[in-house]
Amino acid sequence: MSQRTERRGIHVDQSDLLCKKGCGYYGNAAWQGLCSKCWREEYQRVRQKQIQDDWALAEKLQREEEEAYASSHAVHSQSAPGHASLTPFSKFEEKKTNEKTRKVTTVKKFFSPSSRTASKKETQEGKTPSPSISRHASFDTDQVSKDFVEFLKNLYKPGREIHKQCRAFLVSMSNKKDLGADELSECVQDFYQSLADRLISHFKGSSESVEQVMDQVEKYIMTRLYKSVFCPETTDDEKKDLATQKRIRALHWVTIQMLCVSMDEEIPEVSENVVKAITDVIEMDSKRVPRDKLACITRCSKHIFSAIRITKNEPASADDFLPALIYIVLKANPPRLQSNIQYITRFCNPSRLMTGEDGYYFTNLCCAVAFIEKLDAQSLNLSPEEFERYMSGQASPRFSSSEGTWPDSSQGVGTAVTNPVLAQLNTNLELLSGLCSRQEAVMEAAKSLQSEFLSWTQSVQREVNDILEKYPLEIKSSKVSAIDANNVDNENLPSLIKPQVFAG
């Protein structure tokens, strides 16, 4: 009982977000907790070791085949000399090829435990885009190409060289469609690194100008490659997407209080920021450039920080942010979440993921998804039995429709956990009821004012009539006879007109 009275909540140490090798950059779960730089170094080391192992294996196979060939040379030379000289070598080549094929996935398995056995025919079903989508994608590609050329015009000679390098890289990538996702990522990252080195050394570019050029290069390259490298058939990204969506749907009953989120959605500004955060994280899937997808994550995170700040009336802390981000992801259930995370991880300019606010927010999103995958009863302050009943759908948290609340057994019988949807509905109903009362009061006041205006008009009319009866008006008109209008002088005209005399 004491375990449940103390809310555990969700907490992650900020040091857990950093690279496990202690370089100071942000790590990533897809890179075994390493940053982009350390991951590439480790990848290169393992790949180099694998190459050496493959050569050692090939030499061993060659020695074995040579020994077998030498021992059986006399027999084969007697039966069929010409044919015997070719048979051992062909068998050696076949065996060496089979062994190298068996070993070639070792590096991939070290970094990615996912299975790649799905056939192309199975994974290709349902992926053919509609003509309208294809036309839209083609228009975006053409527009990005034009923008890239316009940007490079300002760089003169370096611009022509950059454009040439990018086009050559795209041509080379068109011949590598059968490569796995890790190999494609390695090709793109190698191109980023080599081009950045050339910009720094050969073109003497400053860090800001190099970053601007690399942003445009990433936009151009990845827009052109998007269809072939996003959620490729050689990965299980789509399978992970479906599993994550199913997991989030199974957690639909999780409330904001269970996650200990410091956001009060009854405050209109907080509710508005929550809606914007959900919109931004959903919009991530519509972007094609890794940097644009990162921008959606950053905007979403800033809206979350604003909602927490408004609720607490003080700056939000990192401990407040992660539970709130988990809550937003659960409410949004973003489409193809795992595929988008993998796409950013594989093809984004690595400098953006290692440092800065983009890297920080992206690392937190990866942590949020990892927490959702392993969310348990203790992190929600529930008993294991309750958690299992909710997850299986056998039970749901009881709630009061009149108050929009759920009882919270962890806090005792008398307390309740607010259901944000029902609470907001009740708040809106109260506002409508108040508006109806105010409207009735305004209508009553308007009728009273109309009645007073009519009575005032009538009283004024009566007073005028009384005065006219008491003091009647007599109008005496003066007649001008025998006046020739042609002979009347304008100067004498006023003297001919006598004023009216009022009696009394």
Side-chain angles (χ1 to χ4, degrees):
M1 184 68 180
S2 60
Q3 181 182 0
R4 298 191 58 197
T5 55
E6 182 180 355
R7 298 192 69 87
R8 175 174 177 264
I10 295 173
H11 171 76
V12 61
D13 210 336
Q14 291 302 297
S15 61
D16 295 338
L17 303 178
L18 300 178
C19 177
K20 289 184 177 180
K21 284 200 171 183
C23 63
Y25 296 126
Y26 292 121
N28 193 305
W31 297 330
Q32 307 298 313
L34 304 177
C35 68
S36 175
K37 179 175 178 293
C38 295
W39 181 84
R40 281 174 59 81
E41 292 176 353
E42 188 70 13
Y43 184 91
Q44 295 288 353
R45 184 186 65 79
V46 174
R47 186 169 66 172
Q48 187 63 32
K49 184 178 182 301
Q50 185 61 50
I51 292 174
Q52 294 175 358
D53 293 342
D54 288 343
W55 276 107
L57 175 64
E59 292 175 355
K60 179 182 177 182
L61 291 173
Q62 185 175 3
R63 286 193 302 270
E64 292 177 355
E65 292 295 340
E66 288 175 351
E67 293 174 358
Y69 171 72
S71 63
S72 59
H73 176 69
V75 177
H76 285 287
S77 61
Q78 293 176 0
S79 59
H83 180 71
S85 61
L86 296 177
T87 302
F89 180 77
S90 62
K91 288 184 177 180
F92 160 71
E93 288 295 330
E94 181 181 358
K95 187 174 181 181
K96 184 173 72 172
T97 302
N98 292 337
E99 289 294 330
K100 287 178 70 64
T101 303
R102 180 179 62 83
K103 298 281 285 181
V104 75
T105 57
T106 303
V107 178
K108 304 175 191 176
K109 290 181 179 179
F110 177 80
F111 291 102
S112 178
S114 60
S115 172
R116 298 181 180 180
T117 58
S119 65
K120 288 187 177 181
K121 187 173 182 181
E122 292 175 350
T123 54
Q124 194 173 5
E125 293 180 357
K127 281 194 171 185
T128 304
S130 65
S132 60
I133 296 177
S134 300
R135 287 194 298 269
H136 181 70
S138 177
F139 174 78
D140 289 344
T141 302
D142 294 340
Q143 186 62 44
V144 168
S145 300
K146 292 178 182 178
D147 294 342
F148 185 60
V149 172
E150 289 296 323
F151 172 79
L152 294 179
K153 285 181 179 179
N154 299 325
L155 301 180
Y156 302 106
K157 184 178 179 180
R160 291 194 295 270
E161 181 66 21
I162 293 170
H163 190 257
K164 180 181 177 181
Q165 294 289 334
C166 291
R167 289 181 62 85
F169 174 71
L170 289 174
V171 171
S172 68
M173 289 295 290
S174 65
N175 300 322
K176 300 177 181 179
K177 295 181 179 179
D178 295 332
L179 292 180
D182 291 332
E183 288 79 9
L184 292 173
S185 172
E186 188 70 11
C187 292
V188 173
Q189 296 297 334
D190 285 342
F191 177 73
Y192 286 159
Q193 187 64 47
S194 62
L195 184 58
D197 292 341
R198 288 174 62 86
L199 289 174
I200 294 174
S201 60
H202 183 70
F203 299 124
K204 309 299 181 184
S206 64
S207 58
E208 291 185 1
S209 60
V210 170
E211 185 176 352
Q212 291 177 358
V213 173
M214 291 306 300
D215 286 343
Q216 293 298 322
V217 168
E218 178 191 305
K219 182 177 181 180
Y220 174 66
I221 292 295
M222 296 316 303
T223 301
R224 300 287 297 270
L225 296 177
Y226 180 79
K227 290 176 64 177
S228 58
V229 300
F230 182 85
C231 192
E233 298 173 355
T234 56
T235 66
D236 59 349
D237 292 350
E238 186 175 1
K239 181 180 178 181
K240 290 181 179 179
D241 288 333
L242 296 175
T244 301
Q245 285 190 341
K246 183 179 179 181
R247 172 71 173 176
I248 292 176
R249 283 195 294 266
L251 293 169
H252 67 91
W253 49 269
V254 176
T255 66
I256 195 170
Q257 286 75 17
M258 291 178 180
L259 295 169
C260 301
V261 178
S262 302
M263 292 193 306
D264 185 1
E265 291 189 88
E266 294 185 8
I267 302 175
E269 290 181 85
V270 173
S271 178
E272 182 180 354
N273 276 283
V274 168
V275 171
K276 289 181 178 179
I278 293 173
T279 303
D280 287 330
V281 75
I282 292 176
E283 187 182 2
M284 174 178 60
D285 185 59
S286 65
K287 304 299 181 182
R288 306 179 70 176
V289 183
R291 179 167 59 93
D292 294 341
K293 291 181 181 292
L294 273 180
C296 292
I297 298 173
T298 300
R299 289 197 302 269
C300 168
S301 302
K302 289 184 176 180
H303 287 309
I304 292 174
F305 271 105
S306 297
I308 297 173
R309 177 181 53 80
I310 294 171
T311 301
K312 300 181 64 177
N313 199 23
E314 63 181 21
S317 65
D319 290 338
D320 296 325
F321 173 63
L322 184 59
L325 180 59
I326 294 173
Y327 175 68
I328 293 298
V329 173
L330 288 176
K331 289 196 70 174
N333 198 357
R336 300 192 293 184
L337 180 57
Q338 294 284 2
S339 291
N340 281 288
I341 290 177
Q342 292 297 327
Y343 178 73
I344 295 172
T345 300
R346 292 166 183 155
F347 303 108
C348 184
N349 192 336
S351 61
R352 287 191 172 274
L353 302 183
M354 293 162 58
T355 58
E357 61 178 10
D358 286 344
Y360 175 76
Y361 294 137
F362 178 70
T363 304
N364 273 275
L365 177 63
C366 295
C367 289
V369 175
F371 268 110
I372 289 173
E373 291 175 346
K374 61 181 180 181
L375 207 62
D376 56 10
Q378 187 178 7
S379 58
L380 297 176
N381 198 37
L382 297 173
S383 67
E385 294 77 14
E386 286 177 315
F387 183 82
E388 289 301 324
R389 286 199 302 270
Y390 296 156
M391 288 297 295
S392 62
Q394 297 177 359
S396 61
R398 298 186 305 274
F399 62 92
S400 170
S401 58
S402 61
E403 298 179 1
T405 58
W406 275 323
D408 183 6
S409 57
S410 65
Q411 301 296 325
V413 179
T415 58
V417 177
T418 303
N419 178 357
V421 177
L422 295 177
Q424 186 65 40
L425 178 61
N426 288 333
T427 301
N428 293 338
L429 289 175
E430 292 176 1
L431 290 174
L432 288 174
S433 177
L435 289 174
C436 290
S437 301
R438 291 174 60 184
Q439 184 181 19
E440 292 176 358
V442 170
M443 293 301 297
E444 290 295 331
K447 291 179 181 179
S448 176
L449 180 62
Q450 183 181 18
S451 177
E452 291 178 0
F453 180 76
L454 290 175
S455 62
W456 176 81
T457 303
Q458 294 173 357
S459 64
V460 171
Q461 186 65 38
R462 286 195 299 270
E463 291 180 4
V464 171
N465 292 335
D466 293 341
I467 293 174
L468 290 176
E469 291 178 359
K470 185 176 181 180
Y471 304 103
L473 298 178
E474 294 181 4
I475 301 175
K476 294 182 178 181
S477 61
S478 57
K479 297 181 180 179
V480 180
S481 59
I483 297 179
D484 189 359
N486 295 327
N487 296 328
V488 175
D489 191 12
N490 289 337
E491 294 181 357
N492 298 326
L493 183 60
S495 63
L496 296 177
I497 302 175
K498 294 183 179 180
Q500 297 177 350
V501 179
F502 293 89

